[in-house]
Amino acid sequence: MGKLVVSLDGVVIKEVQITKDKTTLGRRPYNDIVIDNLAVSGEHAVLQMVGADVFIEDLNSTNGTYINGKAVKKQLLAHNDTVEVGKVQDQVHGRRRHRL
């Protein structure tokens, strides 16, 4: 299990524990992680746990999903990765370098 720290312009908005096999992220209120920012799509991305690994997958969002500044479609997350959706940054925290 890992934690996602959501921030905008360097200010922490929320901290979210990743506990479910599938965690949705987007602007719409039914997402597990709601980010109320117009640069974030209604259904922007999904975090998927596979064993101890956590992957992020962009759901064909308008502004894309970036890991450490690089656009990704689907990628395994690592401790201290910076995930960017729209103008919002999420910092990944976990126990191991290669796993959440």
Side-chain angles (χ1 to χ4, degrees):
M1 171 174 50
K3 176 173 70 172
L4 204 62
V5 179
V6 181
S7 63
L8 179 61
D9 297 327
V11 178
V12 174
I13 300 169
K14 63 178 97 175
E15 294 186 15
V16 181
Q17 293 291 330
I18 306 301
T19 59
K20 297 169 51 176
D21 289 340
K22 180 179 173 185
T23 302
T24 59
L25 185 145
R27 196 175 70 245
R28 301 215 174 164
Y30 52 77
N31 285 289
D32 298 307
I33 302 172
V34 178
I35 301 175
D36 188 19
N37 184 291
L38 292 177
V40 177
S41 293
E43 297 167 355
H44 199 102
V46 64
L47 298 164
Q48 295 180 317
M49 286 192 359
V50 179
D53 293 331
V54 178
F55 291 83
I56 189 164
E57 182 175 358
D58 184 81
L59 298 176
N60 297 316
S61 64
T62 302
N63 292 319
T65 299
Y66 297 80
I67 307 295
N68 303 321
K70 180 181 174 187
V72 298
K73 178 62 180 159
K74 183 174 184 177
Q75 179 158 331
L76 174 65
L77 294 176
H79 178 67
N80 282 335
D81 273 350
T82 299
V83 179
E84 191 171 336
V85 291
K87 296 179 185 284
V88 179
Q89 290 189 341
D90 306 311
Q91 187 78 37
V92 177
H93 296 277
R95 292 186 200 152
R96 299 180 186 181
R97 173 74 183 103
H98 64 288
R99 299 176 191 268
L100 271 179

